[in-house]
Amino acid sequence: MKKLHPNDCVCAFCRNEIDFDFPDHLLDKIAEGEVVLFAGAGISTENKVHCQSTLYEEIRASLATTSDLSFPELMDAFCAQPDGRIKLLEKIKRRFDYFRSFDGFLRPMTRFHRSIAPLYMIKDVITTNWDDFFESECNFDPFVYDSDLAFWDASKRRVMKIHGSITNFGSIVATTDDYTQSFKRLNDGPLGAQLKSLIARKTVVYVGYSLSDENYLRLLRNIARLMQGNLRQSYFVAPKIDLEKLGRAPAPLIPIQTDGSLFFEIAREKLTERCRITRDQAFAACADLLDDIAEAHNKTADAFIRTQHPLLIFILSYQDGLIHALQRIIRMRRTGEYHSQMAVQARVHSYEHRIEELSAAKDYWNAAYALGYQSGLLFLILNSDDDKGPWPPFFDVPFDVAVRSLSGALRFPKDKLPRSVKVQANRILKRYPKEARLIPDHTPYL
């Protein structure tokens, strides 16, 4: 893949982007949807490549101590002061808000999240991170409490936040007591049971994780003991790896020495053809098309207000469908939903059936909308395969009238429209009298 910096660059980012061989076994597992990610703090706010100091260092400096305390012990010391717990949560919140306010922080801190968003095959993430980047950048649904588990199957992509979330202050796991209570929940509770099930059944890829969270390591040891050594092969991705420490891990871990974001960017590159992952160029093309079709829609609307030509009713509905499809594609890009060309293709076929049903029922207004929406989906697929894919017509209808321009629509004789089309057009025109200067606007419903 194309690098942003020269090959000989030794900046803080590039020196972590180490060349590596991608294991075929892991590539197969990603393609099959059999991978779960375990994401540690190193992928986002606690990576010193991204920021000047870690939260641990800030807290230690505020306490003016040089003691080499563990993370929870240091948080204990901070919380021991008056209103310490409140001050700690406020400090964490301010830190995240500050990072979010600058692109210079936010872009590198969320690069990892953007790298996995297109990998629609990855459905589950486990994280110790408090930030909400998986939610905001990839549209993952957060699972924090045992009661959340009831909605597991209702979610398309899930992030299990075993140390809580900044969006719910009461859930934050920071102190020694927090860790004790967290381990009990994970070891005995239903959310912990789901966590253990994922680790036992899936191939786990650890990224940005220091192998120093004793709670998780204890849990992993328990799982390994129960599985009697039959844990699946897991992988450990990091630019710097302590092989001795890795060898002491309770699960078999294959080291891959490189940057985690680069690793998944290359995974996408390798799997694009095999898994039919939509290319970025297709989303850019959708944004370009949206601008042009919106302009055409405005001109069509102005012409309808002037003339109330019945054919424009159906052209406007078609354009609404096309606009809504493009808007949703662009807005939902980060979810991975439209990165699966197979899923988009299935949706194209479902709209074909819908168009046939609506046309058979002589509901041409809704059929026109469905035709426009289908055209937007098809455009995405065609422009992923070819960066100069064909653009859909800006003027189209779901019945036997050939029209490809606004001037052509205005010239079309009203009495030449099919009778059933004229009947529906007259019903709609009654709701939009000319003096009201309104246009029939199709909402995103069928």
Side-chain angles (χ1 to χ4, degrees):
M1 64 182 297
K2 185 178 180 182
K3 296 185 69 173
L4 295 178
H5 297 173
N7 289 332
D8 59 351
C9 178
V10 291
C11 74
F13 294 98
C14 290
R15 67 169 171 255
N16 287 337
E17 296 186 352
I18 302 165
D19 291 337
F20 66 97
D21 293 324
F22 212 112
D24 290 338
H25 170 263
L26 179 52
L27 206 58
D28 290 342
K29 290 298 180 182
I30 295 173
E32 294 162 7
E34 291 297 318
V35 160
V36 59
L37 303 187
F38 189 105
I43 65 163
S44 58
T45 60
E46 302 310 296
N47 188 330
K48 290 191 70 174
V49 171
H50 303 156
C51 56
Q52 189 174 16
S53 60
T54 64
L55 176 66
Y56 181 94
E57 291 168 341
E58 287 186 11
I59 296 293
R60 187 165 66 174
S62 71
L63 293 174
T65 180
T66 56
S67 299
D68 191 19
L69 300 174
S70 69
F71 183 87
E73 288 171 341
L74 187 67
M75 300 305 119
D76 289 342
F78 188 88
C79 290
Q81 60 186 310
D83 296 330
R85 178 77 179 191
I86 295 171
K87 290 177 181 177
L88 175 63
L89 296 176
E90 288 174 343
K91 194 174 189 69
I92 294 168
K93 179 68 163 57
R94 281 198 305 272
R95 179 178 170 86
F96 287 166
D97 287 347
Y98 186 76
F99 290 151
R100 275 198 171 279
S101 67
F102 293 97
D103 278 356
F105 287 128
L106 188 62
R107 291 290 295 175
M109 287 179 179
T110 57
R111 178 187 169 192
F112 175 83
H113 309 80
R114 294 193 307 277
S115 74
I116 68 166
L119 296 171
Y120 62 87
M121 308 82 74
I122 296 176
K123 306 292 186 185
D124 295 301
V125 172
I126 303 161
T127 187
T128 54
N129 299 345
W130 300 322
D131 62 65
D132 63 348
F133 294 154
F134 281 107
E135 296 95 310
S136 63
E137 301 298 321
C138 314
N139 214 41
F140 276 66
D141 295 318
F143 287 77
V144 182
Y145 297 107
D146 286 335
S147 57
D148 295 337
L149 191 61
F151 304 99
W152 188 268
D153 291 334
S155 174
K156 294 179 180 178
R157 302 181 93 180
R158 302 161 286 260
V159 54
M160 188 183 294
K161 311 190 80 167
I162 62 176
H163 283 181
S165 175
I166 191 60
T167 58
N168 191 310
F169 294 141
S171 68
I172 296 290
V173 175
T175 65
T176 301
D177 185 59
D178 293 338
Y179 273 79
T180 300
Q181 295 301 317
S182 172
F183 177 76
K184 188 176 187 308
R185 287 195 303 272
L186 291 176
N187 200 49
D188 302 333
L191 196 63
Q194 183 69 11
L195 168 64
K196 287 181 273 192
S197 174
L198 286 174
I199 294 168
R201 294 182 299 107
K202 301 285 187 177
T203 297
V204 184
V205 180
Y206 295 87
V207 190
Y209 179 50
S210 63
L211 286 172
S212 59
D213 181 344
E214 187 53 37
N215 264 8
Y216 181 74
L217 291 175
R218 283 173 65 193
L219 197 67
L220 196 55
R221 279 192 287 270
N222 288 347
I223 298 169
R225 177 175 50 79
L226 292 170
M227 295 291 290
Q228 299 180 354
N230 293 321
L231 277 177
R232 294 180 182 274
Q233 181 65 65
S234 296
Y235 295 84
F236 188 86
V237 181
K240 296 177 182 178
I241 298 177
D242 183 338
L243 293 177
E244 184 180 341
K245 192 174 186 180
L246 197 69
R248 295 196 299 269
L253 298 173
I254 292 179
I256 300 174
Q257 191 168 0
T258 194
D259 175 75
S261 301
L262 177 70
F263 178 81
F264 283 102
E265 288 165 359
I266 290 177
R268 176 188 178 179
E269 194 174 82
K270 287 182 174 293
L271 291 171
T272 292
E273 294 295 335
R274 177 175 170 183
C275 297
R276 296 194 64 199
I277 300 173
T278 306
R279 292 180 170 87
D280 289 339
Q281 68 200 29
F283 293 97
C286 285
D288 292 339
L289 175 58
L290 179 59
D291 289 340
D292 287 355
I293 188 62
E295 182 180 348
H297 185 272
N298 289 338
K299 291 178 179 178
T300 307
D302 290 342
F304 175 80
I305 290 171
R306 290 195 316 271
T307 68
Q308 286 215 315
H309 194 298
L311 186 55
L312 298 186
I313 293 172
F314 305 100
I315 292 174
L316 284 168
S317 184
Y318 166 83
Q319 292 173 343
D320 281 334
L322 179 52
I323 288 169
H324 292 163
L326 296 171
Q327 287 174 337
R328 191 172 196 277
I329 287 167
I330 294 165
R331 190 159 294 145
M332 301 297 285
R333 175 180 179 175
R334 70 178 189 271
T335 69
E337 178 180 346
Y338 287 97
H339 281 90
S340 170
Q341 288 189 51
M342 291 175 288
V344 177
Q345 188 70 55
R347 202 170 296 181
V348 168
H349 288 306
S350 72
Y351 270 93
E352 187 65 35
H353 295 310
R354 195 76 176 109
I355 293 164
E356 291 172 359
E357 291 172 354
L358 291 166
S359 297
K362 296 182 173 53
D363 185 358
Y364 302 108
W365 190 59
N366 280 319
Y369 180 87
L371 179 63
Y373 205 100
Q374 181 195 48
S375 297
L377 297 173
L378 191 57
F379 178 77
L380 178 71
I381 294 173
L382 294 175
N383 278 268
S384 182
D385 296 333
D386 180 357
D387 59 1
K388 295 182 180 178
W391 281 37
F394 285 13
F395 302 88
D396 206 355
V397 289
F399 43 83
D400 191 19
V401 169
V403 55
R404 289 294 181 265
S405 68
L406 180 57
S407 59
L410 292 172
R411 288 196 303 270
F412 191 87
K414 299 178 184 180
D415 59 354
K416 296 293 185 182
L417 286 171
R419 183 178 180 281
S420 55
V421 172
K422 286 191 285 187
V423 169
Q424 187 177 31
N426 288 334
R427 285 202 305 266
I428 293 171
L429 285 170
K430 286 179 181 178
R431 301 200 301 268
Y432 298 91
K434 190 171 184 179
E435 59 273 16
R437 299 183 62 80
L438 297 174
I439 62 169
D441 180 38
H442 202 300
T443 57
Y445 289 104
L446 270 180

